[in-house]
Amino acid sequence: MAAAAAALRHLALRARLAPSPTAGAPLQRLQQRRGLRLSAPAAIQVTVRDALNQALDEELERDERVFLLGEEVAQYDGAYKISRGLWKKYGDKRVIDTPISEMGFAGIAVGAAMAGLRPVCEFMTFNFSMQAIDQVINSAAKTCYMSAGSIPVPVVFRGPNGAAAGVGAQHSQCFAAWYGHCPGLKVVSPWSSEDAKGLLKAAIRDDNPVVMLESELLYSVPFEMSEQAQSKEFVVPIGKAKIEKPGTHVTLVAHSRPVGHCMEAAAVLSKEGVECEVINLRTIRPMDIETVEASVAKTNHLVTVEGGWPQFGVGAEICARIMEGPAFNYLDAPAVRVTGADVPMPYAKILEDNSLPQVKDIVFAVKKTLNI
């Protein structure tokens, strides 16, 4: 009996000392009066470089057929540190330094893929992939079709594409239109860290040759990554665009770094009452034109943005698809393209800046399209 009475007294004491459900309300009201606001825990920030490193690490661990090869990818941890720590973890047979011979190591990668492995071939820049384009197009892209599907070629060609900063014309070309032109290839172009991780994992698991066009200028940029994206099984489906920002007045379509410019332009235009729908294309081939069509049917206006040259570019293809398809009937004005200048990239910074699409160029194009 004495023990039971002691237990009851203990419970009563705990009940008196326990905070009431509204005990925090005065504190919250005080914080609000003082202009303070309680916030949720900070989201996980991951750079594009670290997202790509995660993807490579997880796929090397998951499938022993996967290996990485390219210039300086092993002992030096990669020219851009994408493969940091992987050589020490997986050794010489899984992370392989190659000579400076793109034709040679791209050919090795294609042959290894035909033999049943899943190579990831890194070009130090896609400008140097011109040395290996015979292997990429004639050996990799066409083999599955010419063999009636009996020889898959699961190889990934990846590396920085398009303009960097102050590297001149021979290192600044965007190859999205070049590789997107060729049947037999899949071509992806990520913007955010989730794009980079999810698309690289999807590319490695795909049985077709995949060209992954990254941006050197995005490697150090941090993006929020969801808890789902932290999973080892997270993939972004190839061939599916993403609506980064819903809107009602005009559709902005871009890939890679210009997606960020579109988001900035949309924020500027929003202050003037113009709501832009921003579509992150993510995949160049196969192109998700259905998402673009649905957006154009809603907004009735289209602006495409890319860092490549205007003639025969990605934007030109999007405009042609819209004109030929059912979404053309929804357009209230001609589609407008914002592209890089039709010149080899200048070296001088001020000329380089003026050769690439800037936020002001997108704002101008939107206002021109909307006639405001």
Side-chain angles (χ1 to χ4, degrees):
M1 291 293 292
L8 287 171
R9 285 196 300 273
H10 178 68
L11 289 171
L13 179 62
R14 285 184 59 187
R16 287 199 303 273
L17 294 177
S20 70
T22 59
L27 176 60
Q28 292 174 355
R29 287 195 293 270
L30 178 63
Q31 288 174 325
Q32 289 169 358
R33 284 199 300 272
R34 292 180 177 176
L36 301 175
R37 181 167 55 87
L38 294 175
S39 59
I44 297 175
Q45 297 275 324
V46 179
T47 64
V48 171
R49 172 183 290 107
D50 289 340
L52 290 166
N53 181 268
Q54 281 180 26
L56 288 169
D57 188 8
E58 291 169 7
E59 293 305 302
L60 284 163
E61 181 182 60
R62 174 181 174 272
D63 189 342
E64 64 181 10
R65 297 173 297 172
V66 176
F67 70 98
L68 173 66
L69 76 164
E71 296 155 350
E72 299 182 344
V73 299
Q75 296 186 42
Y76 188 66
D77 281 341
Y80 306 97
K81 306 307 175 194
I82 304 298
S83 54
R84 183 173 50 220
L86 299 181
W87 174 68
K88 291 180 180 178
K89 184 174 181 180
Y90 295 101
D92 290 322
K93 291 186 177 180
R94 304 289 302 282
V95 183
I96 303 169
D97 277 331
T98 66
I100 305 174
S101 174
E102 283 76 15
M103 174 66 83
F105 65 74
I108 289 171
V110 173
M114 291 179 179
L117 300 178
R118 307 189 83 87
V120 179
C121 175
E122 177 179 307
F123 294 121
M124 196 174 289
T125 161
F126 259 94
N127 298 270
F128 302 160
S129 75
M130 293 295 93
Q131 299 291 326
I133 198 164
D134 181 56
Q135 298 292 355
V136 177
I137 305 302
N138 283 324
S139 297
K142 300 174 182 176
T143 295
C144 186
Y145 180 84
M146 294 177 72
S147 67
S150 63
I151 305 177
V153 189
V155 59
V156 179
F157 300 102
R158 54 155 297 272
N161 169 70
V167 291
Q170 293 173 323
H171 298 73
S172 299
Q173 185 174 337
C174 176
F175 289 92
W178 280 54
Y179 287 118
H181 179 67
C182 301
L185 290 178
K186 293 184 177 182
V187 184
V188 298
S189 181
W191 170 55
S192 68
S193 298
E194 287 196 8
D195 290 348
K197 180 179 179 180
L199 285 171
L200 181 52
K201 289 171 73 72
I204 292 171
R205 298 181 188 190
D206 201 291
D207 286 334
N208 298 280
V210 180
V211 171
M212 183 159 174
L213 305 172
E214 302 155 12
S215 169
E216 181 183 337
L217 296 176
L218 288 176
Y219 282 154
S220 298
V221 177
F223 290 86
E224 289 186 6
M225 281 190 78
S226 65
E227 186 177 344
Q228 178 190 10
Q230 293 294 312
S231 165
K232 291 185 177 182
E233 293 306 312
F234 173 75
V235 295
V236 169
I238 294 175
K240 185 62 181 172
K242 180 183 179 184
I243 297 175
E244 297 288 349
K245 177 188 176 299
T248 54
H249 296 125
V250 60
T251 298
L252 301 179
V253 185
H255 66 94
S256 191
R257 188 166 175 255
V259 176
H261 295 334
C262 288
M263 295 293 283
E264 291 180 45
V268 171
L269 288 160
S270 181
K271 295 175 182 177
E272 301 181 32
V274 177
E275 294 300 327
C276 303
E277 181 147 294
V278 179
I279 296 179
N280 174 7
L281 205 55
R282 297 200 296 195
T283 303
I284 308 301
R285 185 182 186 103
M287 186 178 288
D288 182 8
I289 202 65
E290 292 81 8
T291 295
V292 180
E293 287 177 334
S295 179
V296 169
K298 179 173 65 171
T299 67
N300 310 118
H301 300 89
L302 173 65
V303 174
T304 67
V305 185
E306 63 189 304
W309 294 317
Q311 191 158 323
F312 314 117
V314 175
E317 175 66 16
I318 295 170
C319 291
R321 296 272 196 103
I322 293 299
M323 187 191 75
E324 294 168 350
F328 175 74
N329 297 313
Y330 291 90
L331 283 175
D332 287 341
V336 174
R337 292 178 294 157
V338 179
T339 71
D342 197 20
V343 297
M345 182 64 69
Y347 174 76
K349 178 171 172 48
I350 189 168
L351 296 177
E352 182 181 60
D353 289 344
N354 281 281
S355 297
L356 292 168
Q358 306 295 331
V359 172
K360 61 181 176 61
D361 301 318
I362 302 169
V363 172
F364 177 81
V366 168
K367 291 183 175 182
K368 175 184 174 183
T369 304
L370 296 176
N371 196 29
I372 57 175

